[in-house]
Amino acid sequence: MKQDKFSEEEKAAMKARIEEMKKEGKRTKADGEADVLAAIAAMQQPSRGIGEKLHKIIKATAPTLSPRTWYGMPAYSNSNGKVVLFFRGADKFKERYLTLGFNDTSQLDDGNMWPIAYAIVKLTAAEEKKVADIVKKAVP
């Protein structure tokens, strides 16, 4: 069945991106941090708790990245303003897990095929270490 319309969630993400684009070039790192924290606070549990931990891990592991939002999702960009990684709560598109994703600006290349997205349902110490290791690889 062909879908002719965007979902309400997709429309909201596009509107968020338009607003973000209007602010580009005028934002400070502190503004981006505030936007990311607000996006995380708006998530439903358990995504909110996972997002809070991810934010801390990403900031500690890749301090050169700048927090910002991207399509309303918490994201982290390089010095060129390109989004390297992002995450979205399960409620963003009615999924059953939070997704941690990496864009082509990340350095995850490994042969001819590698993962660029990870489903997270819970962050134990073991997963926190895995996330930190992946972020270190993505952002040398």
Side-chain angles (χ1 to χ4, degrees):
M1 180 170 154
K2 184 179 174 185
Q3 184 179 4
D4 293 320
K5 297 181 182 180
F6 290 108
S7 70
E8 291 305 313
E9 294 83 8
E10 291 167 328
K11 289 177 188 176
M14 288 185 280
K15 287 179 185 175
R17 183 65 187 128
I18 290 167
E19 290 304 312
E20 293 159 359
M21 290 171 69
K22 288 178 184 177
K23 296 176 184 177
E24 284 180 10
K26 303 173 192 169
R27 309 204 40 79
T28 66
K29 195 167 184 172
D31 293 332
E33 175 90 9
D35 289 347
V36 164
L37 293 175
I40 293 169
M43 292 178 182
Q44 297 174 8
Q45 289 292 7
S47 293
R48 184 181 320 124
I50 295 169
E52 290 166 350
K53 288 182 181 180
L54 285 174
H55 179 65
K56 288 178 184 174
I57 293 166
I58 294 164
K59 282 188 59 163
T61 306
T64 59
L65 296 182
S66 296
R68 59 179 282 190
T69 55
W70 185 59
Y71 292 93
M73 299 176 285
Y76 303 83
S77 59
N78 61 21
S79 60
N80 295 326
K82 301 289 184 182
V83 172
V84 177
L85 65 115
F86 64 92
F87 58 90
R88 68 174 179 260
D91 52 305
K92 182 76 171 175
F93 294 113
K94 298 180 183 174
E95 297 169 319
R96 65 180 182 92
Y97 46 78
L98 178 143
T99 301
L100 172 63
F102 295 85
N103 285 347
D104 62 344
T105 51
S106 69
Q107 302 296 310
L108 293 176
D109 303 39
D110 185 16
N112 294 320
M113 185 172 140
W114 56 89
I116 59 166
Y118 298 84
I120 302 174
V121 294
K122 185 176 180 183
L123 272 181
T124 67
E127 284 85 24
E128 289 179 19
K129 182 177 179 338
K130 286 179 186 177
V131 168
D133 290 345
I134 294 165
V135 171
K136 281 178 192 171
K137 183 177 181 184
V139 186

